[in-house]
Amino acid sequence: MKITWLGHSAVKIEASKTIYIDPFLTGNPAASMGPEEATEADLVIVTHDHGDHLGDAFPICKQTGATLVSIHEVAVKAEAEGIPTEGMNIGGTIESHGVRIHMVQAVHSAESGDPSGVVVEVDGKSLYHAGDTALTYDMKLVGEFFSPDLSFIPIGDRYTMGIDSATKAVEFCRTKKVIPIHFDTFPIVMADPEAFKSKVGDMAEVIILKPGEFFIL
Ligand code: NI
Ligand code: MN
């Protein structure tokens, strides 16, 4: 499957289904594409409703017919706009379009409901998107249950983990590969992904992308 980092926490997963997670494109200085280029999607997953994550999720769902997957309170708002939704909550698992989504703990804040992370199982691979979060022991449960093939981990500090915590998160969630996210979008979340890579060492393969670059998993 093709994994494209769109900048910030926005990722596109092209497998048997097309999935966007946290598609913050409009107003994102690092965005590698505009929302109008998202012409095909099956699922749009939102970890929490801060603007840099909810982003263009609703418009993309409207133009593609994709189902929005999010915490209940955000799903209710989407449903009110006529968007097909799968509301859920932390600890829950759903299956939509043949894709399994597990909602997991994130230690952060949100406007509506609680913030979350997600583990997505598609085409026999498991992908963990941590959302915005502090380091938490709950990540050990992600490791025990999924040992993800690939994780998206924030390293930009201030609003999320910085490099030291993110390195511990890689250990806790036992991910095989990791793509650092949520850094360099704005001056207040600058981080050096190479420093993260050297700290992680041989615990996991760190894949450093530039916005718009992809990785084949
Ligand atoms: Ni946030
Ligand atoms: Mn954020």
Side-chain angles (χ1 to χ4, degrees):
M1 66 186 72
K2 183 178 174 183
I3 312 290
T4 308
W5 185 39
L6 307 175
H8 205 56
S9 291
V11 300
K12 182 183 186 184
I13 300 160
E14 290 169 275
S16 57
K17 303 294 173 184
T18 299
I19 304 162
Y20 286 88
I21 305 178
D22 287 358
F24 166 49
L25 304 172
T26 301
N28 174 357
S32 64
M33 61 179 275
E36 69 286 350
E37 292 169 68
T39 52
E40 207 181 296
D42 298 290
L43 293 169
V44 177
I45 303 171
V46 174
T47 62
H48 65 297
D49 69 347
H50 284 159
D52 61 322
H53 296 261
L54 182 62
D56 300 291
F58 287 13
I60 291 172
C61 287
K62 286 176 184 171
Q63 73 200 22
T64 60
T67 299
L68 184 110
V69 179
S70 67
I71 199 126
H72 167 74
E73 288 80 1
V74 178
V76 165
K77 289 184 177 178
E79 202 169 8
E81 295 194 24
I83 293 166
T85 60
E86 290 281 3
M88 60 186 305
N89 215 312
I90 292 161
T93 297
I94 63 156
E95 184 161 337
S96 180
H97 295 77
V99 178
R100 281 170 75 79
I101 299 138
H102 312 264
M103 188 162 277
V104 301
Q105 182 84 0
V107 177
H108 189 66
S109 63
E111 301 286 335
S112 310
D114 286 330
S116 68
V118 287
V119 178
V120 177
E121 290 184 288
V122 58
D123 297 354
K125 304 272 189 194
S126 57
L127 298 91
Y128 170 43
H129 190 298
D132 277 356
T133 185
L135 178 65
T136 160
Y137 276 111
D138 290 278
M139 290 166 180
K140 290 189 176 188
L141 295 173
V142 173
E144 272 189 43
F145 279 82
F146 303 104
S147 189
D149 294 292
L150 174 68
S151 295
F152 305 98
I153 302 285
I155 67 164
D157 218 327
R158 184 178 287 253
Y159 299 107
T160 68
M161 296 183 285
I163 285 171
D164 289 346
S165 296
T167 302
K168 188 55 96 172
V170 168
E171 179 191 324
F172 281 2
C173 77
R174 298 190 208 163
T175 191
K176 297 175 186 77
K177 300 180 196 310
V178 56
I179 295 177
I181 59 169
H182 211 273
F183 70 97
D184 284 8
T185 321
F186 306 104
I188 49 173
V189 292
M190 299 302 276
D192 178 6
E194 292 293 346
F196 173 63
K197 184 173 187 164
S198 62
K199 279 217 161 204
V200 169
D202 54 15
M203 271 198 300
E205 181 187 348
V206 178
I207 299 146
I208 298 173
L209 300 177
K210 291 194 170 64
E213 288 183 344
F214 65 86
F215 173 77
I216 302 294
L217 181 66

